Each structure stands twice: as structure tokens, then as C-alpha cells.
Amino acid sequence: MTKFVEWSTELSMGIEEIDAQHQILVELLNQIHEAIQQRRGIEVARNIIDRLEEYTRVHFAVEESLMRILHYPEYEKHREDHDSLIDQLSGFRDKLEEGKGSLNFELAHFLKLWLTKHIMEVDKRYVAYFLSQGIRPELSKSSWKQRFWRPFGRI
Ligand SMILES: [Fe+2]
């Protein structure tokens, strides 16, 4: 069966660690879509959104620290983009907690569009710069998820 978000070379940045983290985000979006299709309850919805928000924060923190360490010239602009998604995600999580929101296809499509566009148009802008500053494509081969972060079992 086709996945809601398919991982493809178009999404690959060519930096192993970043790709591994983006793949986790893609997997979480697929889980959200599956939960909507299966009409899972509010507890499941909350759980996935919590994990998505938490992992998105972890991932953005990694990207942003690399940008700061390497003095990436577009850091501020990039961070604003991250902050705006985090604001939207936490707003959505608050709504769920107040019993006002629900997981729906509109949200799933918004997240899919946001993530794929952000990777292809915003993240890809830092790749050449990072590589020129000595970041190796095989950066941290044992990925973040294996070392620190493994909450992504199936629901
Ligand atoms: Fe980013």
C-alpha cells in the first residue's frame, strides 16, 4: 500500500543524520494519517501529536545548533520558519487537550505540505554551506534515534 508520505531522493539532503531525523518525521506523519483513517480515539491523537511536537523540537534544535556552530548566514530566517511550525503544533495540541480539536485529514495534509516544502525549499539551502564548512555526509552514522530517542513503536 502506498504510504501517505513516501520517502524519496527528492527529500534526501545527503547528510545521513539529518535524513534519518527527517525519516522519523515522515514516519510520524504516516502514523497520524493511519490513525485518522482508522478513526482512532482522542488518546491516540494526543499521543501522536505529543510525540510529533517533541521530536520536531529535538530535530529543529539539532539543525539550529549546527547552523549556529557553523555561522550559517540564513539562520535567523530558518529559525523563524521552525518557530512558526512549533507554535502551530503546540496550539493544536492545546486544542486537543481542551477537547476542542481532532485529528483530521486537513491537518495531516497541512503537515505533509509543510514538511516536504520545508525540506525541499528551506533545508536544502543549508546543505552546500554545511558541506563547505566541513560537515561530512556520514555525520553521526549511528543515528539520533538509536542513541537517544526511540519512542516510535507502532500505536
Ligand atoms: Fe529546517
Side-chain angles (χ1 to χ4, degrees):
M1 204 175 79
T2 329
K3 288 187 174 176
F4 175 57
V5 188
E6 288 283 352
W7 182 256
S8 68
T9 47
E10 272 190 318
L11 292 175
S12 173
M13 313 272 293
I15 299 174
E16 211 170 293
E17 176 65 26
I18 303 289
D19 283 344
Q21 294 184 8
H22 283 159
Q23 280 168 345
I24 291 177
L25 292 173
V26 163
E27 171 58 19
L28 281 168
L29 294 198
N30 285 328
Q31 288 188 23
I32 287 177
H33 190 255
E34 201 178 300
I36 299 165
Q37 274 181 329
Q38 295 174 352
R39 299 173 194 275
R40 306 294 290 264
I42 189 81
E43 278 311 312
V44 173
R46 247 191 234 155
N47 188 292
I48 305 180
I49 291 296
D50 280 354
R51 285 186 297 152
L52 178 67
E53 186 188 342
E54 217 172 324
Y55 192 73
T56 302
R57 284 181 190 275
V58 169
H59 167 63
F60 286 174
V62 171
E63 278 191 350
E64 289 169 20
S65 33
L66 283 169
M67 287 180 211
R68 281 197 310 271
I69 291 165
L70 301 169
H71 306 289
Y72 180 54
E74 294 182 45
Y75 164 71
E76 291 293 341
K77 224 168 110 215
H78 199 127
R79 208 195 67 196
E80 279 169 23
D81 223 36
H82 287 171
D83 288 349
S84 111
L85 181 72
I86 293 292
D87 283 352
Q88 292 182 77
L89 276 178
S90 53
F92 184 73
R93 192 222 329 116
D94 291 347
K95 265 195 190 164
L96 275 181
E97 266 162 27
E98 291 161 16
K100 288 183 196 155
S102 66
L103 277 188
N104 53 49
F105 287 113
E106 200 185 332
L107 175 79
H109 282 283
F110 162 76
L111 292 172
K112 176 181 177 174
L113 193 69
W114 191 93
L115 183 69
T116 51
K117 211 168 166 289
H118 180 79
I119 292 175
M120 291 193 286
E121 293 176 14
V122 183
D123 285 346
K124 282 207 172 171
R125 296 171 69 90
Y126 68 59
V127 176
Y129 182 82
F130 277 17
L131 295 176
S132 76
Q133 299 301 305
I135 291 291
R136 296 202 317 265
E138 65 277 16
L139 167 77
S140 305
K141 199 166 171 101
S142 58
S143 80
W144 189 273
K145 73 176 166 179
Q146 281 156 352
R147 277 178 294 153
F148 306 114
W149 199 256
R150 268 209 92 91
F152 300 114
R154 304 299 295 169
I155 293 158

